[in-house]
């Protein structure tokens, strides 16, 4: 099922690329993608074989007989040359045979992927949407404030805000978390206030972004899990519910990990967008628009926002790698059986073929996403021609 | 206009640089940019050749290709009688110190992390101490371009644009070059500073016996500093003449249009406003490249490319219908 | 006498910078009648661009202004916030130096041309588009319908500047400020753009302030010229009077430093020695004294006022020892005798700075 969807999407994408950017560009990019895929998967297979240990022994356990191990090695072709193994794997994978994860009752790999891929994909999707939802308006607002004359938020306003958060947080997350958060914000703010006359809207947003950026994901994750599923039962660690279980169930099962991942990505997006907007606000055409008597909001939204999203888009595309690595921590904290966790397990168990297949999938997804983003550049900035958009 | 030909090249033992039929083309997706299409010129010892034209006429490319940055697509560049287009690697590197360049943006053309003395002395370091120069002479050189040697340890950003251009001139002079190519050296400067730099270039030329190739879009500046002037349009030569001669008797329609456009000056030229846009350098017009905007263009101009010919002593023009009074 | 379009009274613009207060414009007053072109000439750092930007309310965040600005009889400080936006969108318009950067690279020409009309004049989309086509015709752009759908990078520099001018004219301004409108363009294009501005100005009885570093441009296009140096107005006068009776040594030095195409090649140029004063630490007396042939000791004591025999309407200069007057000749003679000016600039026998 996943495979079919994947293939359909791929074909549609190729058609779209050819249509928007022409045959030559499509051939170049897809050719390049194939070479990258081969290098990545073959590199992975070489690297994994450097790790000491015998996959069949790990899979069958210490109690297994020598014959059983030998049979396993033979069946998997593990005594063959690396290149032969790689070619065999490529043939199988391309023909749709993903093999199986042999340590777990020979469960077919395709089933594992079908089971785990959607939840990781949704987790990633929701977290990125949430991050953008917070980062874009705040980034715009921060840049807007920075561009204005110093009309600062009075610094004393920070204390009632933090105080309210603390009181409110008590009800939601319990006093321990609430106090931790309040202290984490208030102490640096106090220092900050001594150093400066008072933070403007821009410095305040930046400040919160830096605080968020410097808290490790697992700290955010652990404290939120503690707050919402230990202190309160707003989030049950019962595992993932697919869409078929109902929309409400689905969101109930995924919202907290998504929030954690989203919060981790927010400050980066916010800073990038703000920096780009600030840079674009220096451009002459902004002066021209101001001279035309356009309002600041109009200039920001209609003139500056679009060209300021280029860096954000690039990073968003690169972040797709998080699909496996960034999510691991969160998946672990919330007991969320996703792709990241599975990949790590497979690496530990030296399941070369499973690792190769997953790496190939993620790499393919990565390349395709970035290809789409390259093409989106051209619609954001008409000066970037598809033929040169590398 | 916009023609080719070598009629204006001089046969003399003093000829230092002789460029013949130089072509520079850049391949881009969907065609070739014809930046320079068969330019010939020569430079005799102690002379200043001004190259004037509007943006996109290939004047900078011509200058750069003369010192093989980049190498021209075809054509020859003789320096001291040797064709340097055939040189490569070390042999080309050995010629380079004799051909120096000064750029338009004085500040960004200097390494911001080096002190002024390091910048000026860099060439000496690379080439080892030369007979005629020693490290002490850096101070002398700084003095002669009007930078107090006491400021030798400062970095470029601590100087004004004009001072940076003085430093660039010192840097170019340190290797005792034969030719200095000045690519719009005063365009980024205020007029009062511009005059300082132009005077300095004249002084340095007299003092160190260098020849100059002076690229500019500003006709008044070019006239002031040049002995001979070449007018370019779309990678072709329009007119070559002595500086005063060219300004007294502009013969090519493009030269006349340029002169008529000098703001506020009393130039004795009938007004001719150029119509239309500059054609694409990827697909330049046939015949005379100026024919799409020339007030005197005929069918002949659209098919036959004019060759440079002498209309008065030392005054060459590439035009089928030159203005001769 | 026609109506006064612009009246600037003792305008001072300060910028607070990390290294201290920078006075970019220091007490400039100006009156401009309807239909008149006033050129402000100066080198970089003279404050001419800051002056222009202040007139259209584009002062940077760290700048502050004092002195009054009246446009069409209305003091801009008495406008409400919303009136202000409308006022600077409709009554006053500006053309900037670099057409390559003054158009938004990611928006089509039509969107950029029509936005002010739709915003200020409440035009419908199709009305605004029709007017945009008309405007492009006014600035002599061929096939305007096609151009409207293009992006700025598809047009040449001259074309873009025409679009910028069309944009400035969109709401029929009564005052146009052109800040070095042709500096980034080739000479032949420069001429056609200046011709265009002249033509439009006459058609619409618009007043124009032309900011330029080029005395030649100012001479050919302006009714009156003001020469600025280090934030101050050095000399103001009708163009002909200014060029025929140049009074301020700076104006003369500026003119002398430009290579004159009528002079034979290799004519020695007369540069202005030194460089402009540091505006973070301006001199007490005349700002030009340190580079001036005429500088005497009184020039170092206080800044000379901008004045002239014909009062505020006539030719005025800010100099104690003006060129072509007995005072000026006396100062020159005294400096010649001393072998140097009051600021220590050495002079040679013929009275030139060396």
């Amino acid at each position: 099922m996943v495979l079919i969807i994947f293939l359909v999407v791929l074909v549609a994408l190729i058609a779209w690329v050819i249509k928007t950017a022409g045959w030559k560009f499509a051939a170049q990019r897809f050719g390049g993608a194939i070479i990258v895929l081969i290098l990545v998967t073959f590199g992975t297979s070489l690297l994994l074989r450097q790790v000491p240990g015998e996959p069949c022994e790990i899979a069958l356990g210490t109690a297994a007989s020598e014959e059983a191990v030998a049979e396993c090695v033979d069946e998997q072709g593990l005594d063959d040359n690396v290149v032969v193994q790689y070619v065999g794997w490529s043939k199988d994978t391309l023909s749709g045979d993903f093999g199986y994860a042999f340590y777990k009752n020979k469960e077919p790999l395709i089933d594992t992927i079908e089971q785990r891929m959607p939840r990781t994909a949704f987790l990633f999707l929701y977290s990125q949407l949430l991050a953008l939802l917070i980062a874009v308006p705040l980034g715009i607002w921060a840049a807007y404030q920075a561009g204005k004359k110093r009309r600062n938020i009075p610094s004393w306003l920070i204390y009632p805000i933090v105080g309210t958060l603390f009181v409110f947080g008590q009800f939601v997350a319990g006093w321990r978390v609430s106090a931790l958060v309040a202290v984490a914000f208030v102490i640096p703010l106090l220092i900050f206030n001594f150093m400066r006359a008072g933070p403007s809207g821009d410095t305040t947003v930046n400040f919160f972004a830096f605080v968020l950026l410097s808290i490790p994901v697992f700290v955010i994750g652990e404290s939120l899990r503690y707050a919402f599923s230990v202190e309160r039962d707003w989030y049950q660690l019962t595992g993932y519910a697919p869409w078929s279980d109902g929309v409400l169930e689905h969101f109930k099962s995924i919202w907290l990990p998504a929030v954690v991942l989203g919060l981790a990505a927010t400050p980066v997006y916010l800073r990038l967008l703000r920096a780009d907007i600030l840079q674009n606000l220096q451009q002459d055409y902004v002066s021209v628009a101001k001279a035309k008597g356009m309002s600041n909001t109009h200039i920001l939204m209609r003139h500056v926002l679009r060209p300021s999203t280029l860096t954000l888009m690039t990073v968003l595309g690169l972040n797709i790698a998080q699909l496996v690595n960034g999510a691991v921590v969160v998946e672990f904290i919330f007991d969320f059986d996703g792709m990241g966790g599975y990949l790590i397990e497979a690496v530990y168990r030296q399941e070369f073929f499973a690792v190769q297949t997953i790496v190939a999938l993620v790499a393919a997804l990565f390349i395709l996403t970035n290809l789409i983003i390259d093409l989106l550049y051209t619609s954001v900035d008409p000066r970037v021609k598809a033929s040169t958009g590398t | 206009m916009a023609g080719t030909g070598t009629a204006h090249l001089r046969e003399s033992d003093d000829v230092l640089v002789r460029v013949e039929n130089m072509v520079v083309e850049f391949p881009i997706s969907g065609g070739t940019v014809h930046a320079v299409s068969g330019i010939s010129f020569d430079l005799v010892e102690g002379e200043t050749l001004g190259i004037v034209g509007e943006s996109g006429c290939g004047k900078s490319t011509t200058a750069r290709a003369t010192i093989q940055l980049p190498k021209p697509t075809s054509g020859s560049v003789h320096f001291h009688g040797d064709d340097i287009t055939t040189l490569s690697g070390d042999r080309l590197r050995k010629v380079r110190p004799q051909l120096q360049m000064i750029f338009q943006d004085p500040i960004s053309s200097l390494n911001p992390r080096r002190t002024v003395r390091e910048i000026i002395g860099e060439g000496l370091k690379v080439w080892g101490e030369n007979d005629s120069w020693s490290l002490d002479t850096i101070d002398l050189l700084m003095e002669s371009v009007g930078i107090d040697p006491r400021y030798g340890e400062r970095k470029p950003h601590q100087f004004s644009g004009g001072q940076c251009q003085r430093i660039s001139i010192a840097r170019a002079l340190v290797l005792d070059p034969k030719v200095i190519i000045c690519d719009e050296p005063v365009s980024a400067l205020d007029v009062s500073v511009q005059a300082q730099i132009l005077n300095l270039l004249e002084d340095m030329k007299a003092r160190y016996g260098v020849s100059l190739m002076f690229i500019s879009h500003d006709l008044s500046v070019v006239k002031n500093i040049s002995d001979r002037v070449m007018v370019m349009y779309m990678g072709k030569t329009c007119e070559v003449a002595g500086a005063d001669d060219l300004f007294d008797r502009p013969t090519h329609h493009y030269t006349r249009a340029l002169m008529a456009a000098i703001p506020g000056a009393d130039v004795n030229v009938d007004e001719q406003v150029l119509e239309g846009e500059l054609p694409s350098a990827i697909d330049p017009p046939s015949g005379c490249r100026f024919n799409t905007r020339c007030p005197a263009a005929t069918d002949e101009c659209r098919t036959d490319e004019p060759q440079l010919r002498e209309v008065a002593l030392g005054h060459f023009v590439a035009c089928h219908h030159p203005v001769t009074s | 006498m026609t109506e006064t379009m612009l009246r600037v009274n003792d305008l001072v613009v300060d910028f607070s910078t990390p290294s201290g207060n920078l006075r970019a414009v220091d007490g400039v007053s100006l009156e401009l009648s309807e239909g008149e072109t006033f050129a402000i000439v100066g080198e970089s750092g003279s404050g001419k661009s800051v002056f222009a930007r202040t007139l259209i309310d584009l002062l940077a965040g760290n700048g502050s202004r004092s002195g009054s600005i009246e446009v069409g009889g209305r003091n801009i400080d008495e406008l409400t916030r919303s009136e202000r936006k409308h006022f600077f969108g409709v009554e006053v318009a500006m053309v900037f130096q670099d057409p390559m950067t003054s158009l938004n690279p990611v928006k089509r020409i039509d969107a950029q041309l029509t936005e002010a009309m739709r915003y200020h004049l409440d035009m419908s989309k199709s009305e605004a588009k029709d007017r945009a086509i008309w405007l492009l015709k006014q600035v002599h752009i061929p096939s305007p319908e096609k151009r409207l759908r293009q992006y700025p990078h598809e047009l040449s520099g001259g074309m873009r500047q025409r679009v910028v001018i069309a944009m400035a004219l969109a709401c029929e301004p009564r005052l146009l400020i052109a800040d070095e409108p042709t500096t980034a363009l080739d000479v032949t294009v420069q001429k056609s753009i200046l011709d265009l501005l002249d033509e439009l100005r006459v058609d619409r009885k618009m007043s124009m302030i032309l900011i330029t570093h080029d005395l030649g441009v100012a001479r050919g296009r302006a009714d009156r010229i003001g020469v600025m140096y280090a934030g101050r107005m050095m000399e103001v006068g009708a163009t002909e009077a200014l060029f025929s009776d140049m009074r301020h040594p700076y104006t003369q030095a500026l003119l002398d430093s430009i290579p004159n195409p009528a002079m034979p090649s290799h004519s020695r140029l007369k540069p202005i020695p030194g460089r402009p004063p540091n505006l973070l630490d301006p001199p007490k007396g005349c700002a030009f004294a340190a580079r001036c042939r005429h500088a005497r000791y009184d020039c170092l004591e206080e800044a000379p006022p901008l004045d002239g025999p014909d009062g505020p309407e006539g030719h005025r200069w800010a100099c104690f020892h003006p060129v072509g007057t007995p005072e000026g000749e006396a100062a020159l003679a005294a400096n010649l005798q001393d072998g140097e000016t009051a600021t220590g600039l050495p002079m040679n026998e013929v009275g030139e700075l060396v």
Side-chain angles (χ1 to χ4, degrees):
Chain A
M1 187 53 196
V2 166
L3 257 187
I4 293 167
I5 295 173
F6 191 76
L7 280 178
V8 170
V9 170
L10 190 64
V11 170
L13 193 77
I14 293 172
W16 181 60
V17 171
I18 292 170
K19 188 171 161 273
T20 48
W23 276 103
K24 213 173 137 194
F25 177 76
Q28 262 176 19
R29 294 302 295 261
F30 285 109
I34 288 166
I35 292 169
V36 169
L37 277 182
I38 292 171
L39 285 178
V40 165
T41 48
F42 191 65
T44 313
S45 92
L46 281 183
L47 273 176
L48 280 174
R49 281 170 175 77
Q50 302 303 311
V51 184
E54 191 58 56
C56 280
E57 283 174 12
I58 298 169
L60 299 174
T62 40
S65 66
E66 270 187 35
E67 291 77 37
V69 173
E71 193 189 328
C72 167
V73 168
D74 189 45
E75 191 191 324
Q76 296 286 318
L78 286 173
D79 48 357
D80 284 342
N81 179 306
V82 178
V83 180
V84 175
Q85 288 186 40
Y86 183 77
V87 172
W89 168 81
S90 310
K91 272 188 193 159
D92 290 347
T93 307
L94 285 179
S95 62
D97 175 10
F98 281 20
Y100 49 84
F102 51 83
Y103 67 94
K104 263 188 184 169
N105 312 325
K106 294 199 170 184
E107 184 185 328
L109 183 59
I110 188 76
D111 289 353
T112 316
I113 292 176
E114 283 206 7
Q115 187 203 348
R116 291 183 174 225
M117 200 53 156
R119 62 178 66 170
T120 301
F122 280 124
L123 177 61
F124 180 75
L125 185 70
Y126 298 149
S127 66
Q128 300 305 302
L129 281 178
L130 182 76
L132 288 179
L133 227 58
I134 303 172
V136 171
L138 270 184
I140 295 173
W141 187 71
Y144 176 62
Q145 291 294 323
K148 279 172 77 166
K149 283 188 185 178
R150 284 181 66 84
R151 208 185 65 182
N152 293 339
I153 293 183
S155 56
W156 54 263
L157 211 66
I158 295 296
Y159 302 106
I161 291 173
V162 174
T164 319
L165 273 175
F166 176 65
V167 175
F168 181 71
Q170 271 217 45
F171 291 109
V172 178
W175 69 270
R176 264 176 288 193
V177 175
S178 188
L180 203 77
V181 171
V183 167
F185 280 107
V186 166
I187 289 180
L189 259 182
L190 276 172
I191 300 168
F192 202 69
N193 267 332
F194 278 113
M195 282 163 48
R196 285 202 180 200
S200 68
D202 176 48
T203 41
T204 313
V205 168
N206 271 324
F207 174 76
F208 280 92
F210 276 125
V211 171
L212 209 54
L213 200 60
S214 46
I215 305 176
V217 185
F218 63 85
V219 174
I220 304 177
E222 272 299 339
S223 44
L224 288 189
R225 188 183 69 100
Y226 178 79
F228 291 108
S229 46
V230 179
E231 293 274 304
R232 325 264 121 175
D233 58 349
W234 292 15
Y235 178 79
Q236 269 103 27
L237 295 161
T238 48
Y240 171 76
W243 276 91
S244 49
D245 290 3
V247 181
L248 199 66
E249 285 302 312
H250 172 71
F251 281 109
K252 268 175 103 174
S253 74
I254 204 171
W255 74 269
L256 195 55
V259 165
V260 172
L261 257 187
L263 281 181
T266 303
V268 180
Y269 295 166
L270 195 156
R271 294 280 307 166
L272 287 175
L273 184 65
R274 173 186 168 276
D276 270 16
I277 291 179
L278 278 183
Q279 202 203 344
N280 277 314
L281 279 174
Q282 302 296 318
Q283 301 293 318
D284 283 351
Y285 63 81
V286 172
S287 293
V288 173
K290 278 184 186 163
K292 285 196 284 184
M294 298 289 115
S295 72
N296 287 346
T297 329
H298 179 97
I299 290 170
L300 212 55
M301 305 308 278
R302 295 295 182 81
H303 280 276
V304 175
L305 185 57
R306 197 150 62 102
S308 301
T309 51
L310 286 175
T311 320
L312 185 63
M313 270 166 50
T314 312
V315 173
L316 211 59
L318 296 175
N319 257 0
I320 195 117
Q322 285 223 342
L323 203 57
V324 284
N325 56 40
V328 172
V329 177
V330 175
E331 285 179 3
F332 177 76
I333 291 168
F334 292 98
D335 234 350
F336 200 81
D337 288 334
M339 288 304 290
Y342 183 75
L343 186 63
I344 287 187
E345 213 178 323
V347 170
Y348 276 136
R349 295 186 174 271
Q350 301 206 7
E351 303 209 8
F352 308 138
F353 304 124
V355 172
Q356 264 166 247
T357 309
I358 295 169
V359 165
L361 266 179
V362 173
L365 215 59
F366 186 83
I367 292 167
L368 291 179
T369 317
N370 283 286
L371 178 60
I372 295 173
I373 284 181
D374 279 354
L375 291 174
L376 281 180
Y377 280 163
T378 53
S379 66
V380 169
D381 190 338
R383 288 169 300 177
V384 186
K385 287 219 180 83
S387 54
T388 55
T390 38
Chain B
M1 93 77 153
T4 48
T6 54
H8 58 302
L9 296 183
R10 291 163 290 191
E11 294 298 337
S12 156
D13 292 341
D14 291 346
V15 172
L16 200 58
V17 178
R18 182 185 172 104
V19 172
E20 270 179 81
N21 297 318
M22 184 159 76
V23 175
V24 185
E25 289 171 350
F26 303 107
I28 57 159
S29 64
T32 305
V33 176
H34 301 271
V36 176
S37 307
I39 290 284
S40 305
F41 63 87
D42 54 12
L43 184 66
V44 301
E45 227 156 297
E47 187 186 42
T48 300
L49 172 70
I51 302 183
V52 68
E54 295 181 282
S55 49
C57 74
K59 55 188 191 297
S60 282
T61 315
T62 302
R64 281 158 195 262
T66 304
I67 57 166
Q68 313 294 303
L69 290 170
K71 272 184 183 287
T73 314
S74 68
S76 67
V77 179
H78 283 88
F79 177 64
H80 274 318
D82 301 326
D83 186 356
I84 58 172
T85 55
T86 59
L87 302 180
S88 59
D90 260 4
R91 291 180 58 208
L92 181 58
R93 232 167 64 88
K94 293 231 165 64
V95 180
R96 285 251 157 88
Q98 307 202 45
L99 303 161
Q100 288 294 308
M101 194 151 177
I102 300 168
F103 299 92
Q104 173 172 4
D105 188 339
I107 295 168
S108 72
S109 64
L110 300 176
N111 185 337
R113 296 183 197 289
R114 294 282 182 95
T115 67
V116 167
R117 192 168 278 124
E118 283 170 348
I119 289 171
I120 298 174
E122 197 180 15
L124 284 181
K125 236 181 187 169
V126 174
W127 289 98
E129 258 176 67
N130 188 303
D131 291 346
S132 49
W133 297 97
S134 74
L135 285 175
D136 291 336
T137 57
I138 293 177
D139 283 8
L140 215 72
L141 199 53
M142 285 178 73
E143 233 160 75
S144 70
V145 298
I147 298 284
D148 193 330
R150 281 178 303 171
Y151 298 149
E153 302 312 316
R154 293 194 178 179
K155 307 244 165 97
H157 66 90
Q158 288 167 291
F159 293 92
S160 68
Q163 287 172 310
C164 282
Q165 208 56 296
R166 289 171 187 272
I167 296 166
S168 298
I169 292 171
R171 178 186 62 173
L173 282 170
V174 78
L175 289 168
D176 200 11
K178 283 286 172 209
V179 180
I180 298 183
I181 292 172
C182 312
D183 189 0
E184 303 260 11
V186 295
S187 305
L189 305 175
D190 273 323
V191 283
S192 66
V193 184
Q194 168 179 306
Q196 295 173 10
I197 298 297
L198 290 172
N199 280 351
L200 178 68
L201 279 171
E202 293 270 32
D203 294 345
M204 293 300 109
K205 188 183 139 195
R207 185 162 172 182
Y208 297 103
V210 289
S211 308
L212 300 182
M213 263 174 78
F214 192 95
I215 321 293
S216 179
H217 67 279
D218 188 327
L219 275 93
S220 313
V221 168
V222 165
K223 177 179 182 187
N224 181 269
I225 199 160
S226 306
D227 300 304
R228 216 172 184 220
V229 177
M230 175 163 81
V231 182
M232 281 183 71
Y233 181 81
M234 287 200 78
K236 296 274 188 187
T237 314
C238 298
E239 194 165 3
V240 183
D244 291 331
D245 191 22
L246 183 83
F247 276 76
D248 292 342
R249 284 175 294 277
T251 305
H252 197 284
H253 294 282
Y254 179 63
T255 314
R256 296 177 70 84
L258 277 183
M259 275 183 202
I262 301 177
D266 316 309
V267 183
N268 188 22
V269 178
D270 324 335
E271 187 167 301
Q272 302 184 29
V273 179
L274 281 190
E275 297 288 339
E277 291 274 297
L278 195 67
S280 155
I282 297 170
D283 182 23
S286 60
C288 172
R289 288 198 178 170
F290 188 53
N291 78 56
T292 55
R293 303 169 76 190
C294 182
T298 59
D299 285 343
E300 185 189 11
C301 302
R302 287 182 261 280
T303 51
D304 297 338
E305 180 172 57
Q307 297 290 306
L308 273 166
R309 59 191 165 101
E310 194 163 19
V311 287
L313 187 67
H315 193 141
F316 298 84
V317 67
C319 180
H320 293 304
H321 314 288
V323 184
T324 45
S325 44
Chain C
M1 190 67 197
T2 43
E3 194 193 338
T4 302
M5 186 60 223
L6 173 74
R7 181 176 283 127
V8 179
N9 197 13
D10 199 21
L11 187 80
V12 176
V13 180
D14 286 311
F15 290 100
S16 63
T17 72
S19 356
N21 186 58
L22 189 152
R23 179 153 293 186
V25 178
D26 190 3
V28 172
S29 301
L30 177 70
E31 270 189 35
L32 186 64
S33 334
E34 202 169 63
E36 190 184 19
T37 300
F38 187 91
I40 298 179
V41 181
E43 299 180 88
S44 48
S46 63
K48 58 189 195 300
S49 279
V50 173
F51 179 74
R53 286 178 157 254
T54 309
L55 290 185
I56 194 164
D57 208 24
L58 272 183
L59 209 50
N62 61 343
S64 60
R65 162 175 75 85
S66 74
S68 68
I69 300 173
E70 273 176 41
V71 184
R74 295 186 71 179
N75 188 329
I76 64 165
D77 291 315
E78 287 160 12
L79 300 172
T80 65
R81 229 173 111 88
S82 57
E83 274 178 336
R84 223 180 157 97
K85 281 278 170 231
H86 187 75
F87 192 77
F88 287 107
V90 178
E91 303 274 308
V92 191
M94 185 151 170
V95 174
F96 292 80
Q97 174 172 353
D98 192 351
M100 300 298 163
T101 55
S102 42
L103 290 169
N104 188 336
V106 308
K107 296 187 76 161
R108 290 183 204 273
I109 302 297
D110 55 358
Q112 305 197 44
L113 253 178
T114 54
E115 70 176 358
M117 298 183 252
R118 301 197 58 198
Y119 192 90
H120 294 299
L121 307 180
D122 267 337
M123 282 191 179
S124 74
K125 209 167 184 168
S126 63
E127 274 175 330
K129 198 187 157 199
D130 290 344
R131 187 171 158 78
I133 292 173
W134 179 78
L135 279 166
L136 288 184
K137 279 184 188 148
Q138 292 272 298
V139 297
H140 310 305
I141 290 185
S143 50
E145 290 87 352
K146 193 179 122 208
R147 299 291 179 198
L148 280 182
R149 298 303 298 160
Q150 286 183 318
Y151 286 103
H153 71 274
E154 296 170 276
L155 307 179
S156 69
M159 279 292 171
R160 283 190 226 186
Q161 196 62 309
R162 285 169 192 272
V163 171
V164 173
I165 292 170
M167 225 158 79
L169 297 177
C171 298
E172 297 284 339
R174 301 203 305 171
L175 172 64
L176 183 70
I177 300 165
D179 186 5
E180 304 255 13
T182 57
T183 305
L185 303 172
D186 279 321
V187 274
T188 54
V189 184
Q190 161 167 303
K191 187 171 170 26
S192 62
I193 293 288
L194 290 171
D195 286 346
L196 172 70
L197 283 172
D198 264 353
E199 174 195 326
L200 295 166
R201 183 180 58 83
V202 172
D203 282 357
R204 290 153 193 256
K205 295 192 178 62
M206 209 163 47
S207 308
M208 182 157 90
I209 290 185
L210 178 67
I211 313 282
T212 177
H213 68 280
D214 190 333
L215 271 171
V217 169
R219 183 179 201 170
R221 306 291 167 170
D223 303 314
R224 286 195 300 149
I225 295 179
V227 180
M228 268 182 93
Y229 183 77
R232 298 177 202 169
M233 202 61 101
M234 290 299 188
E235 186 165 7
V236 185
T239 305
E240 278 325 305
L242 193 106
F243 276 92
S244 58
D245 289 316
M246 212 162 259
R247 287 287 179 252
H248 202 288
Y250 174 64
T251 318
Q252 193 185 40
L254 196 61
L255 190 68
D256 285 348
S257 68
I258 305 169
N260 184 348
M263 297 286 283
S265 105
H266 300 296
S267 306
R268 191 73 181 171
L269 297 171
K270 293 184 208 152
I272 307 177
R275 45 185 184 150
N278 179 0
L279 293 177
L280 290 166
D281 181 23
K284 187 174 152 209
C286 173
F288 187 60
R291 307 171 77 187
C292 180
R293 294 202 301 158
H294 294 226
R296 293 303 297 161
Y297 296 95
D298 53 345
C299 302
L300 308 179
E301 293 307 316
E302 63 175 320
L306 183 69
D307 214 347
D310 306 326
E313 300 293 318
H315 186 180
R316 289 174 297 156
W317 50 88
C319 184
F320 292 131
H321 310 286
V323 180
T325 64
E327 296 93 330
E329 297 304 325
L332 209 52
N335 282 342
L336 203 56
Q337 202 168 13
D338 297 348
E340 59 174 31
T341 70
T343 53
L345 277 174
M347 289 179 93
N348 65 13
E349 319 75 55
V350 290
E352 280 171 359
L353 299 169
V354 284

